[in-house]
Amino acid sequence: MKNYKKLIDSWATTLAQPMQGNKEDNRAIMAYALHLVIFNIILTLSTLLTSIWLGVFATAAVALLASGSLRIFSGGYHCSSPVTCLLLTVSLFNIYGEGAVILTNYTKFYQVLGALIVIMWLALWFIIKNAPVETPNKPIREERKPGLKKKALMVWLFWTVILVILTVIDFNGYKQFILAIGLGIANQTFSISGWLKNKRKEV
């Protein structure tokens, strides 16, 4: 861990050198950005490699993409530690991937459509109401918030259009992916709902 921190600090110092402004502030920003990028690469690779091993790569990847693309702009709940985040992400998205495959055999058109309408409506509601959701260690400047909310709404619209297209073209043929997108969006909707934040306050 110490060697990892030293390596990050070294890279951050090098990258901060040509930047204008306070060198120490620039170094801290670059160190945080590098840590974030590296951690998210590890997170994604761990999730996808596990999904390959479990045989649910396609659906797990789609769920991760749907949730992750919305999370970039809407923010959301963060785990208390990187290890918890890693374990929870790998577990959840592989459960979603497996769930999409299993539910394909047990759900009918009207059931999937009803669930999607509820999920997408709730996602839209919480994006408008709460996004972008910030965390204590990652505050968002006020002037950036309207732009992030707008981009989150555009991502929501993108996935809504994709769901409509897949449903119209071949619902049964794309059913696994439709369910995977729905589960991914549901995951992020829960993350920005505020419920987890409120539960943490109650503990």
Side-chain angles (χ1 to χ4, degrees):
M1 183 61 71
K2 288 183 179 180
N3 290 334
Y4 169 76
K5 189 176 184 304
K6 286 181 180 179
L7 181 60
I8 292 294
D9 287 340
S10 177
W11 286 351
T13 300
T14 301
L15 292 170
Q17 287 302 320
M19 297 172 65
Q20 296 181 349
N22 185 284
K23 296 296 181 183
E24 184 56 30
D25 287 346
N26 291 338
R27 187 204 65 77
I29 292 171
M30 292 309 302
Y32 178 77
L34 284 169
H35 171 73
L36 200 62
V37 168
I38 292 171
F39 179 73
N40 278 287
I41 290 174
I42 293 171
L43 197 71
T44 302
L45 287 176
S46 299
T47 302
L48 296 181
L49 288 173
T50 303
S51 72
I52 292 172
W53 179 63
L54 293 173
V56 292
F57 172 78
T59 48
V62 168
L64 182 63
L65 181 61
S67 182
S69 60
L70 186 56
R71 185 179 179 83
I72 291 172
F73 304 111
S74 63
Y77 174 81
H78 283 260
C79 296
S80 57
S81 74
V83 174
T84 302
C85 181
L86 178 64
L87 294 175
L88 189 62
T89 300
V90 172
S91 300
L92 280 178
F93 284 97
N94 279 287
I95 288 172
Y96 297 152
E98 186 68 41
V101 173
I102 294 172
L103 288 172
T104 297
N105 300 319
Y106 295 98
T107 52
K108 300 183 183 300
F109 174 79
Y110 71 89
Q111 293 173 322
V112 176
L113 182 62
L116 287 176
I117 289 173
V118 172
I119 289 168
M120 299 309 289
W121 185 87
L122 286 174
L124 179 61
W125 169 256
F126 285 118
I127 289 171
I128 293 172
K129 183 172 181 277
N130 296 336
V133 176
E134 57 187 346
T135 56
N137 64 336
K138 191 182 178 183
I140 301 171
R141 295 195 304 272
E142 286 299 322
E143 62 270 21
R144 291 192 62 214
K145 290 182 178 181
L148 289 171
K149 185 186 292 287
K150 182 178 180 180
K151 289 175 181 176
L153 288 169
M154 290 174 65
V155 173
W156 175 88
L157 180 61
F158 169 80
W159 286 113
T160 301
V161 171
I162 292 296
L163 285 169
V164 171
I165 291 173
L166 294 179
T167 301
V168 171
I169 291 176
D170 186 359
F171 173 76
N172 288 322
Y174 293 108
K175 194 174 182 182
Q176 287 186 6
F177 299 110
I178 291 170
L179 287 166
I181 293 170
L183 289 169
I185 298 297
N187 179 83
Q188 180 55 17
T189 300
F190 187 60
S191 181
I192 64 173
S193 66
W195 187 82
L196 287 169
K197 181 179 179 181
N198 292 336
K199 289 299 288 184
R200 176 176 283 186
K201 286 180 179 179
E202 292 171 8
V203 175

